[in-house]
Amino acid sequence: MNKTLNQIAKEVVAKTILAADESTGTISKRLTSIGVDSTPEVNREYRQMLFTASGIENYVSGVILFDETIRQSSNNEIPFPKLLDEKNISPGIKVDKGTAKFSEDKVDTYTEGADGLEKRLLEYKNLGARFAKWRSVYMISNGSPTQEALDKNAEGLALYAKACQDAGIVPIVEPEVLMDGDHSLEQDKEITIKALSVVFNKLKVYEVHLGGVILKPNMITAGKDNPKQADVETVAQTTLDVLKTTVPFEVSGIAFLSGGQSPDLATGHLNAINKLRNAKPDEYPWRITASFGRALQGEALEAWGGKKENIEKAQKVFIERAEKVYKASLGQL
Ligand code: 13P
């Protein structure tokens, strides 16, 4: 029987989502940081290490793949989407094609990838994808993001979300306000409220079914160059205030990006958010979990260092982090 978009969305956010969809440029950057050159084969070995870590299915319910990765297989030739599916982990796919600048003298960007999207979605569905991801990026800087940037990015997210749902795929809608810069927590709050409000308005205009949407937002923090960082409780409460103001109750799930926070800090914030949420489920009715890239992988990447003899140790480190993040998604750390 065909599952409804709501059912798929709920399954994807049941535990946590591993964002393993680094583009060619980004995976190259991550591997260079441990002294390893990225090639499709090295990328495959690295991702295989994560996907085959013993017990991953206890903590991870969805994995976002990159175009290269969804076509790759394990050493014993099981395609990655099938390998994940057999563990009851939903395979997903990044479908945006990165960002482009509005103009050279501005920091504002818009996200590309609308060309041929319908066709690509159908191909990805045949390859096993049940959900997709599209990321818009907003940088806080003098006068940015502009209204033009907010509008164009929201339009892109809404058109993508509609195309996904028409193809029977659940869209992860990711408007990311970057931590780059020295802005305050209050500025982050203000800009994130603006960005999310415009996005949900556009989703309504394009009649996107909100029960079949997963939102992937940033937590509300001060910019990473601001020496005045808020404490964990303040980040958690401010983040929930923003969600309450902007996210309709029908949305099936919220899965935070980690955005450059350390694994411990991102996990601690998620735990604090869910502790507050659990105390007031009527105010914050959504499932709130993680869709971390760096905060789930960073320690395992370091432990691995590109060496076969470190695989077991790195898998153990990865699973320990995944367990903590899952517990944090329940407010049980
Ligand atoms: P980070 O958790 O490393 O920010 O990555 C999440 C992601 O998928 C960004 O699109």
Side-chain angles (χ1 to χ4, degrees):
M1 204 183 73
N2 264 348
K3 284 189 183 158
T4 64
L5 293 167
N6 291 46
Q7 281 170 323
I8 298 170
K10 290 211 152 63
E11 284 174 10
V12 173
V13 296
K15 292 168 186 164
T16 68
I17 304 170
L18 168 64
D21 60 325
E22 295 85 0
S23 61
T24 307
T26 304
I27 192 68
S28 188
K29 206 159 81 184
R30 301 277 183 268
L31 291 173
T32 303
S33 78
I34 55 158
V36 173
D37 286 336
S38 166
T39 64
E41 176 54 17
V42 171
N43 302 344
R44 187 194 71 82
E45 284 170 11
Y46 171 62
R47 265 86 179 232
Q48 171 176 256
M49 176 181 85
L50 300 175
F51 304 162
T52 59
S54 172
I56 182 178
E57 65 276 14
N58 297 327
Y59 312 118
V60 173
S61 42
V63 173
I64 319 176
L65 304 167
F66 182 56
D67 181 76
E68 174 185 284
T69 324
I70 199 171
R71 301 169 196 282
Q72 291 181 320
S73 301
S74 63
N75 288 352
N76 42 3
E77 287 173 16
I78 303 174
F80 282 149
K82 182 156 182 268
L83 183 145
L84 294 169
D85 210 17
E86 284 174 357
K87 295 175 192 266
N88 264 325
I89 298 174
S90 299
I93 180 76
K94 169 188 174 76
V95 300
D96 69 70
K97 295 204 164 174
T99 57
K101 278 192 160 187
F102 276 88
S103 68
E104 268 320 304
D105 58 334
K106 278 196 195 144
V107 296
D108 293 303
T109 61
Y110 59 91
T111 300
E112 299 185 306
D115 284 354
L117 181 59
E118 285 81 3
K119 210 167 130 226
R120 286 193 289 130
L121 285 170
L122 293 180
E123 191 200 356
Y124 288 139
K125 196 175 182 192
N126 283 332
L127 288 168
R130 266 184 239 126
F131 69 101
K133 179 187 112 173
W134 177 291
R135 173 173 175 257
S136 277
V137 185
Y138 310 91
M139 170 92 178
I140 303 180
S141 175
N142 295 335
S144 289
T146 60
Q147 192 61 45
E148 184 191 15
L150 292 169
D151 289 342
K152 190 166 165 91
N153 279 295
E155 177 103 0
L157 281 165
L159 285 168
Y160 140 83
K162 185 69 185 152
C164 282
Q165 293 192 337
D166 288 348
I169 288 178
V170 165
I172 290 189
V173 169
E174 181 179 10
E176 174 175 5
V177 179
L178 295 173
M179 283 174 67
D180 296 17
D182 62 358
H183 54 267
S184 64
L185 174 118
E186 287 72 26
Q187 280 174 300
D188 196 31
K189 175 180 177 181
E190 184 197 326
I191 299 294
T192 306
I193 288 178
K194 268 196 199 164
L196 291 178
S197 306
V198 181
V199 166
F200 281 106
N201 280 337
K202 288 284 183 195
L203 292 178
K204 205 167 150 200
V205 170
Y206 287 99
E207 297 182 339
V208 174
H209 168 61
L210 294 178
V213 164
I214 298 166
L215 176 71
K216 178 163 173 167
N218 49 283
M219 296 174 189
I220 308 300
T221 64
K224 63 175 191 256
D225 300 330
N226 187 331
K228 193 170 162 269
Q229 293 292 322
D231 59 30
V232 171
E233 288 303 306
T234 306
V235 168
Q237 188 57 61
T238 313
T239 301
L240 281 172
D241 292 345
V242 168
L243 298 178
K244 195 177 153 188
T245 313
T246 54
V247 185
F249 278 13
E250 304 94 282
V251 168
S252 272
I254 295 173
F256 287 107
L257 59 96
S258 58
Q261 298 179 57
S262 71
D264 276 340
L265 193 57
T267 308
H269 283 151
L270 182 66
N271 191 51
I273 288 168
N274 274 297
K275 276 196 191 303
L276 291 170
R277 181 214 164 263
N278 291 346
K280 293 184 179 169
D282 294 345
E283 283 188 42
Y284 319 112
W286 326 272
R287 160 86 183 126
I288 304 181
T289 185
S291 172
F292 294 162
R294 285 162 285 179
L296 269 168
Q297 296 181 44
E299 296 150 313
L301 183 70
E302 287 276 324
W304 176 55
K307 298 197 174 78
K308 277 204 173 54
E309 62 266 31
N310 291 339
I311 289 181
E312 230 172 278
K313 184 177 76 184
Q315 286 181 321
K316 194 166 160 275
V317 166
F318 170 59
I319 292 299
E320 279 169 9
R321 176 56 59 187
E323 180 178 7
K324 282 187 200 155
V325 176
Y326 176 49
K327 285 192 176 150
S329 80
L330 303 172
Q332 287 176 3
L333 257 192

